[in-house]
Amino acid sequence: MTDTRITSLLAWEALDSRGTPTVACEVLLACGARGQAMAPSGASTGTHEAAELRDADHRYAGRAVTRAVANVETTLAEAVHGLDALDRSAVDTALLATDTDAALSNVGANAVLAVSVAAALAAADARRMPLYRSVLDAGAAPLLPLPMVNVISGGAHAGGAIDIQDILVVPVGADSFRQALEWCWSVRRGTAMAAEQRGLSTALVADEGGLAFPLTRNRDAFDLVTEGIHRAGLEPGTQAAIAVDVAATQFFQDGRYLLRTEDRALTSAELISEFTEWTTTYPLISIEDLLAEDDWDGWEQATVQLASTQLLGDDLFVTNPARLQRGITHHVGNAVLVKPNQIGTLTQARSVVRAAHDANYRTVLSARSGDTEDSWLADLAVGWRTGQIKVGSTMRSERTAKWNRLLHIERELGAAAEFAGCDAIRR
Ligand code: PGA
Ligand code: ZN
C-alpha cells in the first residue's frame, strides 16, 4: 500500500506570462510522488474574486509574492501535513481553514490555489494516472471540451483597443478536438488577412495572444471575424460561430456603460438591445459578462431577452457557489465561467461545475490573462466534463500548453475519445 500522506511543501516565486511574479509550489508525498503547480492571475478581475496576496513593497513594483510563498511553506504546510493527498476534500478544507476571510486575503488565494492543484497532481502521480483520470467521477468517461478561441482582443488585455475584451471563435461544427483547434487557427489566420487588407497591423498580440488593433466601432471586430470564418472556408453559424467576452464591469461607471470606442453611454436596457441586434446580424452564440458584476436586474432581463444565446457569467459568478446559486434561483445567465483561482481550491471549483450541471447551466473552464506554462487546466476540463474551455489564442506558449495537452489526451484516448462538440454550447 503506497503512503500517500503529504510530507512537505516547497514554494518559490516564479513569473507568469505577463512577467508578473506568481506562486509556484511542489507537494511531496511519503511514497515519493510529487505534484507541481503555479497560480495564474487575472487583469480584468471581478470585485468578488478571492484575493491574491502581493507584497506591495519595492520588489517587482509591488507585485512580488514572497509573503504568499512563505505562507505555503509555513501556515499551509502545517495545515496539510500528514493528510492523505487522495482525500482532496480534506486537503482543501484544511487549506481554507487557515484563513478567517472567505476571500483568503490573509494567506493569499494565489498560495492556496497553487497548493490545492499541486496536491491533486501529487495524488494523480501516486496513483500513476494522468490528472484528468484521477479527478474523474466513478463511472464517468473523459470528455474533450469544445474550445472557445480568442481572435481579437480589446479592453484591459489590449490597452483598450476596443471596449469589448475578447472576440472568440467557437468551432461548433467540428467533430474532434484536433479539427476544432485547426479550424480556430484557420479563422484566426483568415481574420489577420482581412485585417491586413484594411491596413491594420497584426504584428503585435495582446495578453492572451489575440490580435489587437484600434477599431472605431466594436462591431468592426465582428465583421472581421465573420470575414475570417469565410476566408477559412467555413460556414458561419453552422461550422464556426462567434463568442464574445464583453467584460462590461470594466466600462461600467455611475450607472452607465461607457463605450469609449464609439463615444456612447448606454443603460443596461440599451446595451441589451445592442446585443440583441448583434445576435441577429452575426453568428453570435455566446456572450460573457454582457453586463456589470452587480447588475443583477439587468442580467435577469438579458436572460429573458437573449434566451437562445449562451449567457456566461465570469465577474458575475466568480466561480463562487453562493453567487451561482443566486443566479440559478433568479434565472440569471445560463452558463458559468469557471476559473479555479477565483475561488481558491479545486474542491470549490468542482462543486461549482456540479451545481451548474445540476441546474442545466453550461460550464466553460477558463485560464487567466496572466497564465503559466502549466497544463493542468486541460486535464480538469476533460475530467470534470466541463464541455467547453477558454484559454486564449492559438499562440503564446502559456496558451498552447493547454491546447497541446488536450491534443495529447485526445491521442491517448484514441478511438474512445469523446468530444463535446456543439451540444456543449447550443441551447
Ligand atoms: P482575466 O480575463 O484573466 O484578465 O480576468 C479573462 C476573462 O475575463 O475571461
Ligand atoms: Zn471574462
Side-chain angles (χ1 to χ4, degrees):
M1 198 57 193
T2 45
D3 187 350
T4 48
R5 281 175 298 180
I6 296 174
T7 51
S8 63
L9 266 55
L10 274 182
W12 61 99
E13 191 179 57
L15 296 182
D16 73 16
S17 58
R18 270 193 285 254
T20 303
T22 191
V23 180
C25 161
E26 186 173 44
V27 170
L28 298 154
L29 309 188
C31 59
R34 56 183 66 205
Q36 187 181 315
M38 288 180 273
S41 176
S44 67
T45 48
T47 312
H48 306 286
E49 289 192 23
E52 291 178 335
L53 181 65
R54 296 204 179 267
D55 295 350
D57 66 7
H58 62 285
R59 295 183 63 247
Y60 288 109
R63 309 278 294 159
V65 292
T66 59
R67 289 194 294 148
V69 162
N71 288 344
V72 172
E73 293 192 348
T74 56
T75 315
L76 298 179
E78 275 161 37
V80 300
H81 185 265
L83 295 182
D84 184 354
L86 266 42
D87 189 346
R88 186 154 31 259
S89 146
V91 171
D92 287 345
T93 304
L95 292 173
L96 294 177
T98 60
D99 205 322
T100 49
D101 176 16
L104 305 171
S105 59
N106 301 303
V107 288
N110 41 356
V112 170
L113 193 269
V115 178
S116 180
V117 177
L121 285 162
D125 185 37
R127 299 172 78 192
R128 296 182 179 281
M129 277 182 188
L131 181 65
Y132 72 86
R133 208 166 272 293
S134 172
V135 300
L136 206 57
D137 281 347
L143 179 66
L144 285 152
L146 176 68
M148 194 181 255
V149 172
N150 184 310
V151 179
I152 295 180
S153 293
H157 298 165
I162 50 173
D163 303 297
I164 288 176
Q165 186 175 282
D166 314 313
I167 318 287
L168 310 100
V169 57
V170 188
V172 285
D175 39 42
S176 68
F177 177 76
R178 61 190 279 271
Q179 183 176 50
L181 192 65
E182 187 199 326
W183 284 10
C184 292
W185 182 92
S186 298
V187 172
R188 188 195 198 281
R189 179 166 180 269
T191 305
M193 284 160 59
E196 277 163 19
Q197 206 167 56
R198 294 183 203 187
L200 298 164
S201 165
T202 59
L204 300 177
V205 298
D207 285 359
E208 297 191 1
L211 298 162
F213 27 64
L215 296 168
T216 49
R217 299 177 319 161
N218 286 289
R219 61 170 60 208
D220 292 344
F222 291 90
D223 288 328
L224 283 168
V225 176
T226 308
E227 194 183 327
I229 293 172
H230 284 295
R231 282 180 184 248
L234 298 168
E235 192 181 308
T238 54
Q239 290 185 299
I242 295 178
V244 58
D245 181 1
V246 182
T249 306
Q250 296 286 316
F251 55 82
F252 183 65
Q253 249 176 46
D254 307 321
R256 286 283 187 283
Y257 292 91
L258 305 180
L259 297 178
R260 284 195 187 80
T261 310
E262 302 169 17
D263 199 20
R264 294 160 75 199
L266 307 182
T267 62
S268 299
E270 288 165 345
L271 192 54
I272 296 167
S273 309
E274 183 89 10
F275 294 137
T276 309
E277 224 181 283
W278 291 353
T279 55
T280 56
T281 317
Y282 302 101
L284 182 58
I285 195 173
S286 174
I287 312 179
E288 177 180 336
D289 281 352
L290 64 165
L291 295 167
E293 60 193 356
D294 289 312
D295 189 353
W296 289 93
D297 292 341
W299 265 95
E300 204 173 320
Q301 190 52 46
T303 309
V304 174
Q305 250 170 273
L306 291 157
S308 56
T309 307
Q310 171 166 275
L311 300 178
L312 187 52
D314 171 13
D315 292 350
L316 177 74
F317 295 136
V318 288
T319 316
N320 182 308
R323 287 183 72 91
L324 176 61
Q325 194 47 57
R326 178 173 173 184
I328 291 169
T329 306
H330 297 278
H331 303 287
V332 171
N334 52 38
V336 55
L337 197 81
V338 178
K339 291 167 167 169
N341 82 320
Q342 281 181 325
I343 189 73
T345 65
L346 290 188
T347 302
Q348 292 163 297
R350 178 72 182 97
S351 80
V352 164
V353 173
R354 235 184 263 288
H357 290 171
D358 288 348
N360 200 24
Y361 273 47
R362 300 299 166 86
T363 53
V364 183
L365 196 66
S366 172
R368 299 306 305 244
S369 53
D371 216 279
T372 77
E373 59 272 30
D374 281 0
S375 62
W376 45 265
L377 194 83
D379 283 71
L380 295 181
V382 173
W384 289 353
R385 297 178 57 89
T386 59
Q388 297 176 63
I389 189 168
K390 174 189 167 198
V391 308
S393 180
T394 46
M395 59 174 63
R396 292 186 56 135
S397 305
E398 78 281 7
R399 314 288 149 196
T400 54
K402 282 74 164 170
W403 302 135
N404 289 341
R405 175 66 187 142
L406 288 165
L407 292 168
H408 179 180
I409 295 172
E410 184 179 49
R411 176 68 192 87
E412 187 169 283
L413 294 172
E418 187 191 346
F419 173 58
C422 68
D423 290 347
I425 190 167
R426 286 223 190 276
R427 302 205 61 82

